[in-house]
Amino acid sequence: RQYNRCNHRYELVFDRDALIEEAADDAKIDSIKFSFVDLHAVQSKAAPCTVDLCGVVVGFKPVLAFTSREGKELVKREITLADDTATSLSIALWGERAKQEDKVFE
């Protein structure tokens, strides 16, 4: 990934010759659709499952690097997510997502 100056994954850069024009909405382009589930409802789902969650990171642990039984180097970080149902959930992040700087979770 290349460096960018903004605190976001993507950056658009325009030079002085850039031409920006309003475009009509294109209904053929799908928008991202979420089906949010509260953390309390996750308890009743059969594992494994995929859900869309919306919450606040209320805690996180340092990155943990270890070797699996098969000899593979792994990286893991646990975060705790909470929502307005007064429920919290520990979530394991693996690989590159686990290596994000602490400030991402603060």
Side-chain angles (χ1 to χ4, degrees), residues 39-104:
L39 295 179
H40 187 73
V42 172
Q43 297 177 61
S44 62
K45 299 233 178 246
C49 66
T50 301
V51 293
D52 294 321
L53 300 174
C54 183
V56 176
V57 175
V58 294
F60 60 92
K61 294 183 179 175
V63 176
L64 174 66
F66 62 97
T67 305
S68 71
R69 292 182 196 136
E70 294 80 30
K72 188 175 180 182
E73 296 296 321
L74 299 173
V75 180
K76 172 184 164 183
R77 180 193 289 260
E78 289 184 26
I79 64 170
T80 303
L81 190 70
D83 69 4
D84 57 0
T85 64
T87 306
S88 62
L89 179 68
S90 289
I91 300 169
L93 302 177
W94 295 91
E96 291 303 313
R97 287 190 176 169
K99 294 178 185 178
Q100 295 178 83
E101 295 181 33
D102 288 353
K103 66 180 180 182
V104 171

Side-chain angles (χ1 to χ4, degrees), residues 13-19:
V13 179
F14 301 100
D15 64 13
R16 63 188 179 121
D17 297 322
L19 177 62

